[in-house]
Amino acid sequence: MRLDLFCRRTYDVTGTTVNSHPCQYHSERGQMRIGTSTDDVRRRNLSVVLTLVHRHRLLSRADLTRRTGLSRSTVKALVEELAGAGLVEEVEAGAPSQVGRPSPIVRPQARTLAVAVNPEVDAITIGLVALGGRVLAMKRRPTAGIPSAAETVTVAARAIAGMRRALDPGCSIDAIGVAVPGLVHASDKTVQLAPHLDWHDESIGQMLSAATGLPVFAVNDANAGAIAEHIFGSHLDPDHMIYVNGGASGIGAGFVVAGELLEGAAGYAGELGHTFVGGVGLCHCGRTGCLETEVSQAQISAAGAGTKSIIVERQAQYLGIALGNAINMLNPQLIVLGGFLREIPELAPQTLLDAVARHSLRGPNDMVRIVPASLGAETLMIGAAELAFAPLLSDPAGDHQRIDGDNAVR
């Protein structure tokens, strides 16, 4: 096992597509399958090209031809249609590295936007994200107490209204993605349980959609982080990955297995914070010895300068137990630590590695790297926005409701 504090980026990434289900994230490795009947062919090919440009952020037209297997003339026509819709733009390539005219560069336009919302026990964060996973704005709104679902909707709707008024001409908001620290039933955007927020069966998607007039998609915050780091993170070989998010509202994990997000039967998979690590503290869930009772942001924040290192070392040991168990179960190649957990590999690297080694088998332990999240504070914003962009990526030619800076639906 290696603990990498400086992540590397690989540019030899194969194609990806978005599943037709608007709340699911899907990655397809290798050659893309292209449609075979007239209008379906065009729409599917538009989806393939837009998704590639979105997820790679920058591709030449020649790259698109190679990755899709389509002809150059077909790719040219598809790019022109996407550009006409304001989704991508072409720019001239730099100095040619070989004989001949360089292929134009295709990149996402920053005109079609998504909003990301992340409620926590002490604040609500709202972000504005463009295609390509580029965060244009992010506002953290502290709350006087733990925000209810209704307060979250009110705060988010007010912030979104302000974002709309500030939009440049020609820009529009397509949809909203909400990353919630709890059990989220993806199909109906309902939060079944968010224990730290004290939310029970809250229809956050329906409530926020009614307040803003936009489609809303909800997901567990750790799953949002896993999606973001898998697609846009600077990681080598991320197709077998565990993303672990640590926030004010606890700890959760998102599992990527063979390039696919492992959600479970109802989207509840990944509650790593409620795995037993041997502590004696009573968890808010009513059980004893959960990871969240021994590893928490509050403990680190309350520590003085002289005791912080001791607390971090202790938390590294408990985190190592949970990660060791996860390694034994899932055999990942990569573990990404986000939120306040990003500090642990930097402040207590050897303690963490030793604890993981003690609680995992040698074979899978030798294969895994533990790294801090490469997207930093933007991770959850990017992941939540990816859900919001999913219907557009799946069918760019479809009739998608958008709201511009004048609140006009188009």
Side-chain angles (χ1 to χ4, degrees):
M1 177 180 61
R2 302 187 303 281
L3 191 150
D4 289 359
L5 298 183
F6 301 98
C7 305
R8 294 164 291 174
R9 185 164 192 76
T10 175
Y11 292 93
D12 185 22
V13 183
T14 54
T16 52
T17 63
V18 175
N19 190 291
S20 59
H21 192 295
C23 289
Q24 292 181 335
Y25 149 79
H26 175 72
S27 169
E28 183 177 304
R29 309 300 292 175
Q31 186 75 15
M32 290 187 178
R33 295 191 300 271
I34 306 301
T36 55
S37 71
T38 314
D39 190 51
D40 287 344
V41 165
R42 171 181 149 273
R43 296 176 83 120
R44 184 174 177 86
N45 292 348
L46 284 169
S47 170
V48 167
V49 170
L50 180 60
T51 301
L52 279 169
V53 173
H54 165 67
R55 294 189 172 176
H56 290 270
R57 293 176 168 168
L58 199 73
L59 284 173
S60 70
R61 212 192 286 163
D63 286 333
L64 289 169
T65 299
R66 177 175 59 83
R67 290 174 183 275
T68 62
L70 296 167
S71 69
R72 285 185 295 176
S73 60
T74 298
V75 168
K76 180 177 183 293
L78 293 168
V79 169
E80 287 175 349
E81 183 171 350
L82 293 170
L87 298 174
V88 304
E89 62 183 357
E90 284 192 301
V91 295
E92 292 298 322
S97 58
Q98 58 187 19
V99 176
R101 184 179 179 182
S103 178
I105 300 298
V106 186
R107 64 188 183 191
Q109 285 202 46
R111 292 171 56 185
T112 299
L113 311 171
V115 171
V117 179
N118 174 223
E120 284 273 18
V121 296
D122 56 353
I124 301 164
T125 302
I126 303 99
L128 188 65
V129 186
L131 282 170
R134 185 158 62 95
V135 178
L136 304 180
M138 189 165 70
K139 300 177 181 179
R140 187 177 187 271
R141 308 286 192 184
T143 55
I146 297 174
S148 65
E151 182 182 356
T152 297
V153 168
T154 299
V155 171
R158 188 181 302 124
I160 292 167
M163 290 175 172
R164 283 174 174 167
R165 288 192 293 271
L167 289 178
D168 291 334
C171 294
S172 62
I173 296 174
D174 212 55
I176 302 170
V178 185
V180 182
L183 302 177
V184 180
H185 197 269
S187 61
D188 59 8
K189 303 104 177 175
T190 298
V191 180
Q192 191 265 334
L193 173 65
H196 286 278
L197 298 176
D198 196 26
W199 291 11
H200 303 268
D201 297 316
E202 296 284 0
S203 301
I204 190 68
Q206 180 181 345
M207 294 164 64
L208 189 52
S209 183
T212 62
L214 288 165
V216 177
F217 306 98
V219 68
N220 170 267
D221 59 351
N223 282 346
I227 291 168
E229 290 288 338
H230 180 245
I231 296 173
F232 295 109
S234 303
H235 306 300
L236 187 66
D237 299 328
D239 276 0
H240 292 273
M241 180 188 81
I242 299 174
Y243 171 80
V244 187
N245 186 65
S249 298
I251 295 174
F255 305 133
V256 176
V257 178
E260 305 288 340
L261 184 67
L262 182 65
E263 295 182 280
Y268 299 160
E271 288 299 319
L272 192 70
H274 296 285
T275 55
F276 181 73
V277 295
V280 296
L282 181 65
C283 183
H284 60 86
C285 72
R287 294 165 180 80
T288 301
C290 291
L291 175 64
E292 285 188 5
T293 65
E294 308 302 331
V295 180
S296 74
Q297 185 174 357
Q299 294 174 15
I300 294 177
S301 299
T307 59
K308 180 177 179 178
S309 61
I310 297 172
I311 290 174
V312 171
E313 291 280 342
R314 178 178 177 275
Q315 293 196 0
Q317 294 182 31
Y318 282 109
L319 180 61
I321 295 172
L323 296 183
N325 289 334
I327 289 168
N328 287 340
M329 287 188 290
L330 293 172
N331 185 205
Q333 291 178 297
L334 179 69
I335 295 176
V336 179
L337 301 181
F340 78 89
L341 298 178
R342 292 181 80 250
E343 286 190 312
I344 292 182
E346 298 172 1
L347 299 179
Q350 200 55 52
T351 301
L352 178 62
L353 291 179
D354 290 346
V356 171
R358 284 196 303 271
H359 294 92
S360 59
L361 297 173
R362 181 177 176 181
N365 178 70
D366 288 344
M367 296 177 63
V368 73
R369 293 172 292 123
I370 302 177
V371 304
S374 62
L375 301 174
E378 296 181 345
T379 301
L380 299 188
M381 297 291 99
I382 294 171
E386 191 68 14
L387 290 183
F389 282 132
L392 174 66
L393 295 171
S394 181
D395 185 11
D399 184 16
H400 302 284
Q401 175 178 306
R402 298 171 184 174
I403 298 183
D404 62 20
D406 296 321
N407 285 340
V409 178
R410 57 187 183 85

